[in-house]
Amino acid sequence: MEVELTDGNVKKESWLPVTQELSFQKFIEQSDLLEEFKYDFNEKAELRHTETQSPFVFNYYENVLERNSKRYQALGRLLEQYIYELLEKLCKLQKVYIPQEVDKEPRSFFFMSEGALTNHHSVVLVLLQDQGVFRAGQWSQQAIIHHGLHHGSQIPCIQMALQAHYDVIVLNPNDNFVDLKMEKEWKGLLKQSIESPSLKMAQAESFLSFQHPLQGLPKRCSHTPEEHVAYVWDHFISRTEGKDVSFIVHGYGGLVFMDLLVRRKWEVMSKVYAVALIDSDHHVGHQLGSDGQLLAWIKHHCREWVTSPKPLDKLAATVLKKEFPVVSAGTEKHSLAPSSSLQSIFKYFKKALKAKTTITFSQVPIETRSSTKRKQSA
């Protein structure tokens, strides 16, 4: 991919404008954790130590597992906030808080492109990730740390969608609770401060300790991934007019999408033209049951990429019978499946949109023996 840099030059094999303002190191400098994390993303979007150019080292404190684990969590939180910033400043997405009518309690949020609700006759791509610690803009935090932003973040996918003139909605299904005490300390570490270096170090030492009891407070309308997705669908996605909607769902995100399909059956079937499932955790039998209309819909509108030793797009062997095509993601690693299958998924979307056919589902009651007898006696 070619990206135009701020100096007007075009740099190949770089997806991120290499500017000091958007660097990860610059972002870390705004916290009190700079000595702990001398890391930045290089031109290949790989996380490397700024002095040694080595990958991230987990065992920073020799043989102190708890402290190293806490340091890893702190890095994950920095990456979370950094990617939020990239979604807004690099991808030009808007941060939307939900529920909209509440502003004096902890709220979740998601991101969407500026014209996602108002641009008529355009395509909307919705991104729904796996379950875990990662938030909006991430497929896998582990993949970001060990393989880079190319593989673990959703930003390459978002940029590809925007370049293809899609509108984009980036869901945040794992943002379900707020830990009040940790949140307060975290904000203290992230803000610019004129405090003494010794006090800053004490704050960082406190944050990296394991002495904080959890004080989780659920976020309204986002207690679970299912609730979060249903809210965004009801108040945003379903209200888009004249748009074709597609989904990319990874892992548990596939189960969440099937839950939405069952709960909002007619809306989803009428608006969504294609769903790309990646190594999905859904279960058609348990979730869709024997609903013939839903089974017919997923057969024509879903395709899954699964981890497999086979080359990308080759038919994959599955233990259970699949109700829609299943192909290889071109990798055997779950965390790398989204990035590995991305090009193939966009080809699938393009083909599905071009050859889109509408299957008419009539909302008629199921005929029973008693209704048949009434008809015969009439």
Side-chain angles (χ1 to χ4, degrees):
M1 181 184 294
E2 294 184 346
V3 176
E4 185 175 354
L5 305 183
T6 53
D7 61 2
N9 295 322
V10 173
K11 191 158 193 170
K12 293 185 178 181
E13 297 183 358
S14 175
W15 65 285
L16 182 66
V18 186
T19 62
Q20 183 66 20
E21 290 72 20
L22 280 178
S23 72
F24 186 51
Q25 185 65 197
K26 179 71 174 180
F27 185 83
I28 296 176
E29 288 174 2
Q30 299 173 27
S31 76
D32 295 329
L33 298 171
L34 184 58
E35 289 301 315
E36 296 283 342
F37 300 109
K38 293 183 178 180
Y39 289 94
D40 204 350
F41 289 101
N42 61 21
E43 294 183 0
K44 295 181 180 180
E46 299 166 330
L47 188 67
R48 293 290 184 267
H49 195 280
T50 55
E51 296 174 358
T52 66
Q53 302 304 311
S54 60
F56 176 78
V57 176
F58 176 82
N59 197 28
Y60 182 78
Y61 301 104
E62 188 174 353
N63 299 323
V64 186
L65 178 60
E66 287 187 343
R67 196 172 187 191
N68 285 321
S69 297
K70 196 65 177 179
R71 177 173 174 266
Y72 189 85
Q73 292 174 18
L75 174 61
R77 189 64 190 272
L78 281 168
L79 288 170
E80 170 189 315
Q81 300 298 317
Y82 177 60
I83 289 176
Y84 286 162
E85 183 171 279
L86 292 182
L87 292 178
E88 293 187 276
K89 294 184 178 180
L90 176 64
C91 300
K92 309 300 181 184
L93 302 185
Q94 297 177 333
K95 189 177 186 180
V96 182
Y97 284 91
I98 58 172
Q100 294 180 297
E101 65 274 10
V102 176
D103 60 1
K104 294 184 179 180
E105 65 180 69
R107 294 189 293 171
S108 185
F109 52 88
F110 69 99
F111 295 85
M112 66 179 179
S113 52
E114 186 176 356
L117 302 182
T118 57
N119 288 342
H120 294 287
H121 307 297
S122 63
V123 179
V124 178
L125 173 62
V126 183
L127 303 184
L128 176 55
Q129 69 265 54
D130 200 356
Q131 192 175 39
V133 297
F134 30 90
R135 301 293 187 260
Q138 302 182 54
W139 292 122
S140 167
Q141 192 174 99
Q142 182 186 48
I144 292 173
I145 294 173
H146 297 293
H147 300 279
L149 289 165
H150 269 308
H151 298 282
S153 84
Q154 296 176 343
I155 292 176
C157 178
I158 295 168
Q159 290 187 320
M160 192 178 298
L162 294 175
Q163 289 174 0
H165 305 293
Y166 286 44
D167 285 313
V168 179
I169 292 179
V170 181
L171 297 172
N172 202 10
N174 299 318
D175 183 34
N176 311 127
F177 297 89
V178 59
D179 183 341
L180 299 178
K181 188 170 184 178
M182 288 291 284
E183 193 74 13
K184 183 178 179 180
E185 293 194 13
W186 179 255
K187 288 181 179 179
L189 285 169
L190 280 183
K191 68 181 181 180
Q192 292 283 5
S193 174
I194 58 173
E195 296 165 340
S196 67
S198 60
L199 181 56
K200 288 183 179 182
M201 182 61 69
Q203 288 177 324
E205 292 284 335
S206 174
F207 182 78
L208 290 170
S209 72
F210 260 86
Q211 299 175 357
H212 304 302
L214 292 178
Q215 300 180 18
L217 182 67
K219 297 186 177 182
R220 192 191 300 190
C221 301
S222 290
H223 292 185
T224 64
E226 290 85 349
E227 188 178 38
H228 175 89
V229 173
Y231 184 92
V232 177
W233 175 273
D234 290 342
H235 294 83
F236 297 91
I237 303 173
S238 68
R239 297 182 181 182
T240 59
E241 297 182 3
K243 286 179 177 283
D244 296 305
V245 179
S246 58
F247 273 79
I248 299 180
V249 299
H250 181 217
Y252 190 81
L255 185 147
V256 176
F257 174 81
M258 292 298 177
D259 178 80
L260 179 70
L261 175 60
V262 172
R263 293 174 182 270
R264 304 291 187 267
K265 176 176 176 178
W266 303 109
E267 289 183 9
V268 173
M269 290 197 304
S270 64
K271 291 193 73 71
V272 177
Y273 77 93
V275 182
L277 301 103
I278 306 172
D279 221 23
S280 174
D281 291 340
H282 72 277
H283 194 294
V284 170
H286 289 163
Q287 294 185 270
L288 275 58
S290 58
D291 189 317
Q293 293 168 326
L294 290 178
L295 294 175
W297 187 87
I298 64 172
K299 180 179 180 180
H300 289 87
H301 296 84
C302 295
R303 186 180 182 91
E304 184 175 6
W305 284 257
V306 298
T307 52
S308 169
K310 292 185 177 182
L312 179 65
D313 281 336
K314 293 295 183 182
L315 288 177
T318 57
V319 176
L320 300 175
K321 178 185 176 182
K322 289 290 185 176
E323 290 75 11
F324 43 77
V326 177
V327 297
S328 171
T331 179
E332 296 183 68
K333 294 184 178 181
H334 177 77
S335 62
L336 299 181
S339 61
S340 178
S341 56
L342 188 58
Q343 295 283 349
S344 177
I345 287 172
F346 272 88
K347 290 179 182 178
Y348 162 66
F349 284 156
K350 184 177 181 180
K351 184 177 180 181
L353 189 61
K354 186 176 181 180
K356 187 178 71 170
T357 57
T358 303
I359 301 176
T360 304
F361 295 96
S362 58
Q363 299 187 42
V364 296
I366 298 175
E367 194 169 85
T368 62
R369 290 183 179 180
S370 58
S371 65
T372 303
K373 289 181 179 179
R374 285 196 297 270
K375 287 182 181 179
Q376 291 174 347
S377 61

